[in-house]
Amino acid sequence: MTKGYKMPKGFLWGGAVAAHQLEGGWDVDGKGVSIADVMTAGRNGVPRKVTDGVKEGEVYPNHWGNDFYHRYPEDDKLFAEMGFKCFRTSIAWTRIFPNGDETAPNEAGLKFYDDLFDDLLSHGIQPVVTLSHFEIPYHLVKAYGGFSNRKMIDFFVRFATVVFDRYKDKVKYWMTFNEINNQTAWSDPHPLLQNSGLQLGADDNWEQAMYQAAHYELVASALAVQAGHAINPDFQIGCMVAMCPIYPLTAKPADVMMAERAMQKRYWFGDVHCLGEYPKWLPKYFERKGFDMDITAADLETLKAGTVDYVGFSYYMSFVTKGRDGDQEYDFKEPDDFVENPYVEKSDWGWQIDPTGLRYAMNWMQDRWHLPQFIVENGFGAYDKKEADGSVHDDYRISYFRDHILAMEEAVALDGVDLIGYTPWGCIDLVSASTGEMAKRYGFIYVDADDNGHGSFDRSKKDSFDWFQQVIASDGEDL
Ligand code: P53
């Protein structure tokens, strides 16, 4: 056993999921169609397809997820047995506003989350809630062009206000937009659609569209933060960034400058969320690129007045980049400018495994944003093998977690990072966001279902279940 550092009293150990990846029940109790409902299953290395509405004969894994919608009481018991203090999930926007532009919410949807949160609280588990986790109502994509349209700000703020008000005594920790910065890989249509509901044509300027949509989201987030604090001053409302630090390949100055620009381009979202203003380099970049941005003086005031209370972030991997000879602009472009890191291993899906990168990133964010942090996703997607007796020996997952939790604890105990909690991703097996597979498993709890939704959907404990239970019971000391 590895000896770690005890985390402070009240530290929020738990697990994380997103509504569309596990609930299923995609069309029940008045729920509308979301972006996730029109995304087909992909495979390792094969991207998901987006269909124009739900089509006969296509496979849509988010329609069933892991059936949490019907089985959550059993799952909550298992989370409690593991010792969870909190559980991060999202509210499916389409359960509350099925099309997104209604003025009155759907009561059956609101009631589902009341029941779920009550059940969690009865086990001493506090819900931690993301408002928008890759599941914008599909109607808002078709009728308004998603976040290319300023009207989306009002729709989002209405949704946020309704749920803040409804759950004001049940939920304290909130986040606005999941992995808002994942859309920096704007040349791939998936992140743009998942984050912002953008469907662009060949003639559109994709990069400008990404910056514009992100701006509207940041304004919507800042307005939601203000609305939330007015409803309950005790609310802690965070942003959520996908933290993948980007290193220079060598000490060559051009590599170092390229890595700096890469970090600026991936994390300016956090600068706006946390500091309330655009970093200086970005207007210069817009100017140089000839982007005609709709950013008003009133927007800038809103951003200043709606800074977040903490930094929620996911951490799975780090990246590496290198400079181009003679290029003074350093227009880093993701993912084209990534290169392999010769010093780290990779998962079966090519995600670079780098626990030290987590400690590095936590220090970097502490120095830059001066806010408490919350690790709301971290984990290891892997092919699991269920033995004849039902057991799953996932020592590779335990070893990933051991190394990452130790790095996290060092950042707290040795570097003084202010950390609220740690919720490993996909604490129960669910549908992968990037590939739509069930086979890319993250859980401590195994779900008997395959990529096509076949199986009993029965739950069972993997070896990592007992291991994580012991980590929590020892406040992080017994790794
Ligand atoms: P999957 C890319 C890079 C880092 C995190 O991912 C990412 C993505 C997009 O897939 O997403 C987050 O399921 C996201 C979750 C997602 C999880 O990481 O592709 O917030 O919804 O499931 C893991 O293996």
Side-chain angles (χ1 to χ4, degrees):
M1 194 187 301
T2 302
K3 191 159 162 34
Y5 298 83
K6 253 191 199 314
M7 289 296 96
K9 275 252 151 311
F11 187 78
L12 292 178
W13 297 99
V17 299
H20 67 106
Q21 290 174 256
L22 90 169
E23 285 178 2
W26 72 287
D27 60 351
V28 302
D29 298 331
K31 183 181 170 298
V33 177
S34 79
I35 285 172
D37 294 322
V38 299
M39 292 183 74
T40 65
R43 286 284 176 280
N44 194 350
V46 181
R48 306 180 74 170
K49 266 191 323 194
V50 178
T51 54
D52 187 17
V54 174
K55 300 286 178 209
E56 198 70 31
E58 295 283 1
V59 176
Y60 299 104
N62 298 69
H63 287 195
W64 52 79
N66 70 21
D67 198 29
F68 182 77
Y69 193 79
H70 302 108
R71 295 172 192 246
Y72 72 81
E74 180 192 346
D75 297 340
D76 293 352
K77 271 196 202 123
L78 288 165
F79 301 150
E81 191 182 332
M82 244 185 300
F84 282 14
K85 316 286 181 229
C86 75
F87 176 64
R88 171 183 178 232
T89 188
S90 60
I91 293 180
W93 189 337
T94 48
R95 291 201 193 282
I96 314 302
F97 290 101
N99 282 326
D101 57 359
E102 299 90 342
T103 48
N106 169 36
E107 177 54 32
L110 287 167
K111 177 158 185 324
F112 169 71
Y113 292 104
D114 262 323
D115 295 346
L116 170 62
F117 297 160
D118 287 344
D119 192 59
L120 287 164
L121 290 165
S122 76
H123 290 290
I125 300 173
Q126 64 165 302
V128 170
V129 174
T130 316
L131 292 170
S132 179
H133 192 132
F134 303 164
E135 53 206 332
I136 292 174
Y138 188 55
H139 173 74
L140 296 182
V141 175
K142 297 305 277 183
Y144 299 89
F147 269 96
S148 66
N149 192 329
R150 188 178 266 278
K151 285 198 181 116
M152 287 293 285
I153 297 175
D154 292 341
F155 299 140
F156 176 78
V157 174
R158 183 184 303 152
F159 162 58
T161 307
V162 162
V163 298
F164 282 153
D165 195 50
R166 177 78 169 219
Y167 309 119
K168 59 178 176 291
D169 301 321
K170 298 181 184 178
V171 179
K172 174 176 174 181
Y173 289 95
W174 300 86
M175 275 160 278
T176 54
F177 290 93
N178 185 65
E179 291 191 339
I180 187 164
N181 61 327
N182 237 348
Q183 52 194 324
T184 41
W186 49 265
S187 54
D188 179 340
H190 282 146
L192 283 181
L193 179 72
Q194 285 184 326
N195 287 83
S196 300
L198 298 188
Q199 291 196 299
L200 303 176
D203 295 338
D204 291 307
N205 183 335
W206 288 33
E207 189 184 12
Q208 177 174 331
M210 185 280 286
Y211 280 107
Q212 187 63 66
H215 173 71
Y216 291 148
E217 283 158 15
L218 289 162
V219 172
S221 171
L223 288 168
V225 167
Q226 294 173 68
H229 286 152
I231 288 168
N232 184 344
D234 290 337
F235 276 175
Q236 293 293 299
I237 308 174
C239 57
M240 200 302 198
V241 295
M243 172 44 74
C244 311
I246 304 168
Y247 307 143
L249 181 62
T250 71
K252 203 169 147 188
D255 288 358
V256 176
M257 184 57 214
M258 188 65 147
E260 167 64 9
R261 178 53 43 84
M263 290 295 276
Q264 289 174 320
K265 282 190 138 181
R266 242 193 113 78
Y267 301 107
W268 69 270
F269 305 79
D271 295 340
V272 178
H273 272 305
C274 300
L275 308 173
E277 56 186 35
Y278 273 83
K280 300 283 188 240
W281 68 272
L282 196 45
K284 290 275 181 206
Y285 181 74
F286 292 158
E287 214 178 284
R288 187 150 46 81
K289 288 277 169 176
F291 293 168
D292 179 20
M293 302 288 295
D294 173 28
I295 300 177
T296 68
D299 291 346
L300 298 179
E301 292 292 310
T302 301
L303 296 176
K304 262 230 148 5
T307 53
V308 294
D309 299 314
Y310 68 93
V311 182
F313 68 98
S314 63
Y315 180 84
Y316 293 89
M317 58 190 146
S318 57
F319 294 126
V320 175
T321 191
K322 67 181 177 53
R324 301 184 208 103
D325 286 332
D327 171 9
Q328 297 303 112
E329 297 195 338
Y330 297 103
D331 282 351
F332 169 83
K333 183 162 179 306
E334 188 176 325
D336 312 17
D337 286 315
F338 286 145
V339 293
E340 300 260 312
N341 186 336
Y343 302 103
V344 303
E345 308 260 292
K346 286 192 262 174
S347 81
D348 285 334
W349 280 262
W351 290 21
Q352 305 185 119
I353 304 168
D354 175 15
T356 306
L358 173 58
R359 181 171 172 189
Y360 169 80
M362 291 171 77
N363 276 274
W364 186 86
M365 288 188 282
Q366 178 87 3
D367 290 349
R368 192 177 181 98
W369 295 329
H370 305 152
L371 284 174
Q373 297 175 19
F374 196 157
I375 303 176
V376 296
E377 289 184 30
N378 172 233
F380 192 59
Y383 294 108
D384 288 338
K385 184 165 171 282
K386 192 171 172 182
E387 307 293 339
D389 65 358
S391 56
V392 175
H393 303 306
D394 57 344
D395 45 304
Y396 37 89
R397 185 169 291 109
I398 293 174
S399 122
Y400 178 98
F401 277 126
R402 178 181 290 127
D403 294 347
H404 284 77
I405 293 177
L406 184 60
M408 160 188 101
E409 293 180 351
E410 287 166 348
V412 173
L414 305 181
D415 307 332
V417 171
D418 183 3
L419 187 66
I420 296 167
Y422 176 76
T423 57
W425 174 252
C427 50
I428 178 164
D429 290 345
L430 40 57
V431 174
S432 155
S434 55
T435 68
E437 294 165 289
M438 193 71 196
K440 189 181 186 187
R441 294 174 184 273
Y442 284 88
F444 304 114
I445 299 166
Y446 188 89
V447 176
D448 176 41
D450 69 14
D451 291 344
N452 293 309
H454 300 136
S456 67
F457 286 75
D458 285 349
R459 279 55 170 149
S460 55
K461 299 174 191 171
K462 303 181 193 175
D463 288 356
S464 56
F465 184 103
D466 295 333
W467 179 81
F468 195 49
Q469 183 184 50
Q470 148 211 310
V471 172
I472 299 178
S474 66
D475 296 320
E477 206 171 26
D478 298 346
L479 298 176

